[in-house]
């Protein structure tokens, strides 16, 4: 399992519409083969900051299966206008758990 992590800084005043659009976008990403699940969490100290956590079966499920799909183009249309700055996306693999 690969964990995709992105810190999403949403333009001030645009968070309500971002959350509405995200609810539509999550239906898109969940249709991709290799998608496991996701969480979107809002920061308490900075209410316009979110963290997106997506579990994928493999790195390629995200980088190729999703990012190179028509579904990703729809995802971009729904969400990319809200970010400033544009988020850095990183991938993690589990080393140890309790």
């Amino acid at each position: 399992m690969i964990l995709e992590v992105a810190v999403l800084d949403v333009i001030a005043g645009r968070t309500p519409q971002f959350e509405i659009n995200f609810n539509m976008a999550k239906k898109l990403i969940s249709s991709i083969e290799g998608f496991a699940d996701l969480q979107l969490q809002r920061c308490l100290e900075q209410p316009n900051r979110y963290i997106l956590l997506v579990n994928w079966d493999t790195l390629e499920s995200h980088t190729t299966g999703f990012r190179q799909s028509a579904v990703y183009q729809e995802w971009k249309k729904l969400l990319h206008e809200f970010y400033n700055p544009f988020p850095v996306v990183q991938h993690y693999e589990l080393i140890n758990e309790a």
Side-chain angles (χ1 to χ4, degrees):
M1 191 69 61
I2 300 298
L3 176 64
E4 170 196 353
V5 177
V7 176
L8 311 175
D9 289 313
V10 173
I11 298 166
R14 307 243 12 237
T15 58
Q17 188 62 50
F18 167 74
E19 291 181 14
I20 290 167
N21 283 27
F22 189 86
N23 279 331
M24 292 184 281
K26 71 181 179 183
K27 295 172 187 160
L28 297 170
I29 194 171
S30 65
S31 71
I32 298 295
E33 185 174 336
F35 169 87
D37 58 49
L38 69 73
Q39 290 183 23
L40 180 67
Q41 298 187 25
R42 184 178 34 237
C43 180
L44 296 176
E45 293 80 13
Q46 291 181 271
N48 67 312
R49 176 170 282 175
Y50 298 79
I51 187 166
L52 175 62
L53 307 169
V54 184
N55 283 303
W56 297 96
D57 291 342
T58 65
L59 178 62
E60 293 74 20
S61 297
H62 178 230
T63 58
T64 304
F66 180 55
R67 285 272 181 95
Q68 294 180 16
S69 71
V71 169
Y72 181 67
Q73 298 308 311
E74 294 300 314
W75 171 274
K76 283 174 49 173
K77 287 179 190 175
L78 285 169
L79 299 175
H80 284 197
E81 70 181 83
F82 294 99
Y83 306 136
N84 187 24
F86 195 78
V88 173
V89 176
Q90 297 180 307
H91 300 91
Y92 295 82
E93 61 182 345
L94 182 64
I95 301 302
N96 199 341
E97 67 181 329

